[in-house]
Amino acid sequence: MQRREFLKISSLGIGGLALSGTLLYEFFNSANDETDGELHRFPTYCEICFWQCAGWTHLDKDKKIWKIIGNEDDPHSNGRLCPRGTGGIGSYYDKDRLKKPLIRINDRGKQSFREASWEEAFDLIAKKMKDISSKYGPESMALFHHGSGGKYFTNLIKAFGSDNIAKPSFAQCMGPREVAYAATFGTGLSSPEPLDIRDTKCLVLIGSHLGENMHNAQVQEMSDAIDKGASIITVDPRFSTAASKSKFWLPIKPATDIALLLSWINVLITNEWYDKEFVELNCEGFDQLKQHVQSFTPEWAFGITTIEPDVIVKTAKTMHDASPAVIIHPGRHTTWYGDDTQRLRAVAILNALLGSWGKRGGFFIPDKASLPHHHLPAYPKPAWTWKDTVDGKYNLVDLGLANIMVDASIPKKSGDNSKVIKGWFVVGTNLINTLPNTTHTLKAIQNLDLLVAIDTMPMEITGWADVILPECTYLERYDSIRVNQNREANIALRMPATKPLYDTKPAWWMARELGLKLGLKEYFPFKTQEEELDWELTQIGSSLKEMKKIGVKKIPTPDHYLYIAKGETIEFNTNSGKIELYSSAIDEEGFPAMPVYTKHPEPEDGFYRLIYGRAPMHTFSRTANNPNLTDLMDENTVWINPKIANLWDLKENQYIKLKNQDGIVSTFSIKVRITERIRIDSVYMVHGFGHADKKLTQAYGRGASDTEMITNVLIDPIMGGTGMRGNFVTFITETV
Ligand code: SF4
């Protein structure tokens, strides 16, 4: 397959391949607009992943949803959806969807439920919340959320009196990056990251596999940058798709990335290949950094990383030659080995030394629309939050840590349970597969007085709930206006293309109805979502009517600039007002102010480091049952180097089980893929398979779950994130 064929995201997307022959013909030949004078396309933004690409949902002549395509005016997608976005239609037609509110009738986890009316479900939840509040305080209710529905339940939980609210996408994903960039540049990177990939001359991917993770606009821009001659440097123990398009592939020994990064810093400084003017004007702590890295030579790093010294020098020179149009990609899923904030600090420092902040081809200055919100009464001040349970740790974090809230749900051995969490709302996140150490999560669940799961699909987490509230899919509902940063400020509308199937409802409605039951009406001033959206849009000179026609609107901020001028000094939001190569904030917390390399344990004989990642046609475990996407990939495989396969006498496509260092055996078998594309000390699998919920008829038992194997969790002492790459597996061949 040619590079452009793979990397370029089609304006139709390969999700179309899941359609039948006749439909496929119409799919490729249809106009994307009204043909009969009737409105049959509706603006939306995709919910299949966090990128939130804007598009149009089309109905066929029978008013049934039949395709989703990109919105040409959308900077997140440039009018092209990825395979998952096109296949999002499968989430609507999935026959396994949750259909009615359900109330548990047996022990937790036994998957015995009875159908209930919305009224009965809400009455039960409200009663249990009140009981928890009167016994333990309102703070004992917690919210875990992902996706659009979380906003409404955040309002509900805050109004109820709790601030125990977390997204696993922080402490289990991009939290270390956000803390590291805030410590260095005074700001996190948020989403989509302001990377000027389209104009870069050098893109360094370190553990980030663009093309397989399908971060839409970034993948498109990388393809364009390659066409324009940009050098790609990929650091990965696995020969990823991105590695195959790279000028340099550095198959690093896992868990040694910090050594490589420190050595690159050493080479840039020793050879004076850094941007002297930028560093002098904008950075603080250069002399300490120079002193700190002087022993981290390429020869030193070679002994640790297995990357040849001349390759380290050559790649550093490539970055220098491209500077400032160079990006060391900050990555997204950054919770690896527990020293993740330090690793991301090293990445941030490299970008600072190369002068790429605020530069064309480096990091642009993002613009974001500001949407006024209706004035709500002040939320009650909680008596405590999760932060009060961690003995003064994690002060650089201002977002909830999901794993700490799980810890706070397990009663203390000391008997002091004044700050215990007793009720969970879990909105749009399958916590069982999202959090490492499933046993620990289940222990917490067994101690709850209330677990409410809100989702479109049955998931492992819904099986443990007391009450399940079925949400309609993003194609059947209004949601908040999408307001995300980009080169130009813009907003996007999501509206229903059709009525919700079954007895499903939008999260907005659920949170409001519960709010009314709990006597919190003043926090829900709008009776309908349309009313709220129209009010908000009117404040900025638009309207719901206008947005229904255009879907995406650009609202550039006057005088916003994308790049900073050469020689310009900037004020950064750090203690010193400069980019901190030496982080005073991290120093104040008692941690090394500059990154250090620490050796991590290696696998014992017969064990291999478990590395996991993504496939372009799936979004973690959330799409594993989507009929359109399972047609493209319905199970994961375990990548094993031929030398290791030979040692174990493994055959291609043979099914085996995995066993980890703690003796945990995978519930399901996984197919062997023998490939030179993985180092001999590691194995690789795509995350999100091995579903154990039989209600997922497509996904049940297909492939193995990497989460099950992740029982050794390496907590980042700076920000509390859960490093998940310190796990090793061996093979069980005889039982399958
Ligand atoms: S990248 Fe793909 S899955 Fe994610 S929002 Fe865009 S179209 Fe949807």
Side-chain angles (χ1 to χ4, degrees):
M1 183 180 284
Q2 297 297 306
R3 171 181 53 77
R4 288 185 59 83
E5 280 178 57
F6 188 87
L7 285 178
K8 282 274 188 188
I9 298 178
S10 153
S11 59
L12 297 165
I14 59 174
L17 298 176
L19 301 170
S20 70
T22 317
L23 203 49
L24 192 64
Y25 176 81
E26 290 178 21
F27 188 92
F28 278 95
N29 288 282
S30 66
N32 66 356
D33 225 323
E34 300 91 58
T35 51
D36 55 7
E38 274 189 66
L39 184 66
H40 64 258
R41 69 171 200 176
F42 300 84
T44 189
Y45 56 87
C46 182
E47 184 81 356
I48 302 296
C49 90
F50 48 77
W51 209 256
Q52 299 189 315
C53 300
W56 297 102
T57 314
H58 284 244
L59 303 187
D60 66 10
K61 58 180 174 14
D62 298 323
K63 304 226 181 296
K64 289 200 172 129
I65 294 177
W66 74 291
K67 72 173 182 181
I68 313 167
I69 62 169
N71 184 320
E72 296 278 333
D73 294 325
D74 180 35
H76 291 232
S77 67
N78 304 312
R80 303 167 187 167
L81 301 185
C82 83
R84 296 166 300 154
T86 311
I89 203 166
S91 66
Y92 171 78
Y93 284 113
D94 195 324
K95 63 182 170 38
D96 296 335
R97 280 176 59 172
L98 292 166
K99 300 177 175 76
K100 288 274 299 174
L102 298 172
I103 291 176
R104 182 167 63 81
I105 53 171
N106 211 323
D107 294 344
R108 281 212 178 100
K110 286 203 173 152
Q111 298 272 6
S112 307
F113 296 92
R114 68 171 170 82
E115 292 187 349
S117 67
W118 283 96
E119 188 71 11
E120 186 188 8
F122 287 149
D123 279 342
L124 178 64
I125 296 167
K127 179 184 177 310
K128 291 230 176 195
M129 286 176 75
K130 285 178 187 164
D131 288 350
I132 289 171
S133 181
S134 59
K135 204 164 165 192
Y136 304 97
E139 299 83 0
S140 289
M141 282 303 304
L143 167 66
F144 300 86
H145 67 101
H146 188 82
S148 305
K151 178 188 161 186
Y152 314 118
F153 282 90
T154 296
N155 184 33
L156 177 74
I157 291 291
K158 281 181 178 261
F160 189 66
S162 174
D163 209 6
N164 284 318
I165 297 169
K167 293 182 187 182
S169 58
F170 185 74
Q172 282 64 54
C173 195
M174 63 183 191
R177 179 194 87 182
E178 292 302 277
V179 173
Y181 273 73
T184 313
F185 293 99
T187 176
L189 294 174
S190 195
S191 180
E193 298 85 0
L195 307 180
D196 209 18
I197 296 176
R198 70 180 182 195
D199 284 329
T200 200
K201 293 184 183 147
C202 176
L203 175 64
V204 183
L205 301 172
I206 181 157
S208 177
H209 37 264
L210 274 185
E212 283 156 290
N213 61 16
M214 278 295 166
H215 295 170
N216 196 341
Q218 282 190 8
V219 182
Q220 296 181 42
E221 291 196 14
M222 182 168 83
S223 178
D224 291 343
I226 293 172
D227 284 351
K228 288 192 277 178
S231 300
I232 311 294
I233 299 169
T234 298
V235 182
D236 202 319
R238 183 176 66 94
F239 191 68
S240 61
T241 304
S244 70
K245 316 300 168 198
S246 297
K247 186 169 177 186
F248 296 95
W249 172 45
L250 279 59
I252 194 167
K253 181 174 176 178
T256 67
D257 308 79
I258 295 183
L260 174 66
L261 292 161
L262 289 172
S263 179
W264 271 338
I265 295 172
N266 168 297
V267 175
L268 291 184
I269 293 178
T270 307
N271 293 286
E272 302 200 347
W273 288 344
Y274 61 96
D275 186 331
K276 288 197 203 90
E277 183 188 50
F278 182 84
V279 169
E280 206 163 291
L281 283 174
N282 292 301
C283 296
E284 181 84 6
F286 178 76
D287 291 339
Q288 289 112 307
L289 180 69
K290 186 175 178 182
Q291 174 75 19
H292 177 64
V293 298
Q294 68 179 0
S295 61
F296 304 140
T297 61
E299 290 71 25
W300 166 82
F302 171 56
I304 298 168
T305 62
T306 72
I307 306 298
E308 298 279 352
D310 71 306
V311 174
I312 296 177
V313 175
K314 264 191 221 157
T315 45
K317 178 75 165 55
T318 304
M319 296 177 214
H320 160 70
D321 291 346
S323 165
V326 51
I327 302 165
I328 321 300
H329 198 294
R332 188 124 187 159
H333 177 68
T334 54
T335 42
W336 299 356
Y337 306 110
D339 50 6
D340 304 303
T341 304
Q342 293 290 19
R343 189 184 71 255
L344 273 298
R345 273 271 299 148
V347 171
I349 288 169
L350 270 172
N351 280 310
L353 289 177
L354 290 160
S356 60
W357 191 264
K359 296 292 168 52
R360 184 180 290 280
F363 291 71
F364 62 78
I365 311 293
D367 192 12
K368 188 173 176 180
S370 165
L371 205 59
H373 295 297
H374 200 269
H375 179 73
L376 295 180
Y379 293 122
K381 188 167 168 33
W384 62 273
T385 71
W386 64 270
K387 271 209 168 183
D388 298 298
T389 69
V390 291
D391 300 328
K393 289 191 271 187
Y394 316 137
N395 291 315
L396 300 180
V397 173
D398 56 8
L399 291 174
L401 301 177
N403 46 307
I404 300 298
M405 283 171 28
V406 170
D407 293 347
S409 307
I410 297 174
K412 297 226 168 17
K413 286 195 183 115
S414 67
D416 172 15
N417 284 312
S418 55
K419 297 183 184 70
V420 69
I421 290 174
K422 294 300 287 181
W424 290 4
F425 276 92
V426 182
V427 182
T429 175
N430 185 14
L431 276 192
I432 307 287
N433 276 10
T434 307
L435 297 173
N437 201 345
T438 310
T439 312
H440 188 67
T441 309
L442 293 180
K443 185 173 175 191
I445 288 174
Q446 292 292 25
N447 281 295
L448 297 176
D449 288 352
L450 174 66
L451 170 49
V452 183
I454 292 109
D455 218 312
T456 58
M457 295 291 300
M459 292 274 164
E460 282 76 5
I461 188 68
T462 58
W464 291 87
D466 299 309
V467 185
I468 303 173
L469 302 180
E471 191 183 14
C472 54
T473 67
Y474 68 103
L475 303 171
E476 304 160 289
R477 67 187 197 227
Y478 283 102
D479 261 313
S480 316
I481 298 292
R482 185 197 77 187
V483 185
N484 284 339
Q485 63 181 17
N486 217 303
R487 290 184 176 93
E488 239 181 330
N490 65 84
I491 55 172
L493 173 70
R494 174 186 287 162
M495 71 173 292
T498 184
K499 281 189 187 140
L501 284 179
Y502 317 114
D503 194 6
T504 61
K505 302 281 184 188
W508 182 90
W509 178 84
M510 296 179 209
R512 185 171 193 275
E513 290 299 308
L514 268 169
L516 299 188
K517 291 251 178 245
L518 292 162
L520 303 170
K521 188 176 175 191
E522 66 273 28
Y523 294 94
F524 299 90
F526 295 100
K527 282 199 183 117
T528 66
Q529 181 74 329
E530 294 99 300
E531 206 184 297
E532 179 167 359
L533 294 179
D534 197 42
W535 182 87
E536 286 177 349
L537 290 165
T538 307
Q539 309 303 305
I540 57 164
S542 180
S543 65
L544 190 54
K545 192 173 169 201
E546 181 193 34
M547 289 303 291
K548 281 182 180 181
K549 280 198 188 131
I550 58 178
V552 172
K553 184 168 175 136
K554 295 191 177 150
I555 316 173
T557 307
D559 301 330
H560 173 260
Y561 52 90
L562 272 184
Y563 308 114
I564 53 177
K566 186 168 164 50
E568 193 179 336
T569 312
I570 320 150
E571 172 89 20
F572 289 87
N573 188 29
T574 55
N575 289 341
S576 60
K578 300 269 188 186
I579 298 170
E580 296 205 354
L581 305 177
Y582 180 102
S583 168
S584 57
I586 291 182
D587 186 42
E588 279 165 17
E589 290 302 307
F591 299 105
M594 289 173 294
V596 287
Y597 165 72
T598 358
K599 190 169 166 24
H600 291 287
E602 293 187 20
E604 288 179 12
D605 275 357
F607 280 78
Y608 309 92
R609 187 177 296 274
L610 175 63
I611 301 174
Y612 51 85
R614 301 186 62 178
M617 61 292 281
H618 281 289
T619 303
F620 314 128
S621 65
R622 296 207 64 74
T623 55
N625 204 66
N626 180 312
N628 288 38
L629 302 180
T630 49
D631 273 4
L632 302 175
M633 178 182 179
D634 64 354
E635 64 183 314
N636 57 359
T637 58
V638 56
W639 293 27
I640 300 174
N641 185 281
K643 287 196 182 81
I644 303 304
N646 201 26
L647 206 63
W648 284 80
D649 196 23
L650 297 174
K651 302 283 177 283
E652 182 79 358
N653 295 334
Q654 174 184 352
Y655 280 91
I656 61 171
K657 285 196 174 185
L658 303 175
K659 181 167 89 168
N660 81 354
Q661 72 285 336
D662 295 323
I664 302 293
V665 177
S666 60
T667 306
F668 302 109
S669 302
I670 184 167
K671 204 193 266 187
V672 169
R673 176 178 176 186
I674 301 172
T675 171
E676 297 273 5
R677 292 172 60 183
I678 185 79
R679 283 176 58 107
I680 57 169
D681 51 10
S682 307
V683 296
Y684 169 78
M685 60 200 278
V686 169
H687 171 70
F689 286 87
H691 273 283
D693 189 333
K694 286 187 177 161
K695 294 191 175 71
L696 297 171
T697 55
Q698 300 265 346
Y700 174 77
R702 305 304 303 257
S705 160
D706 54 315
T707 308
E708 232 182 351
M709 297 290 100
I710 300 173
T711 50
N712 183 31
V713 182
L714 306 165
I715 300 292
D716 187 326
I718 300 177
M719 55 68 65
T722 52
M724 296 181 253
R725 299 231 167 135
N727 290 269
F728 309 108
V729 294
T730 189
F731 314 127
I732 299 179
T733 55
E734 67 272 18
T735 55
V736 289

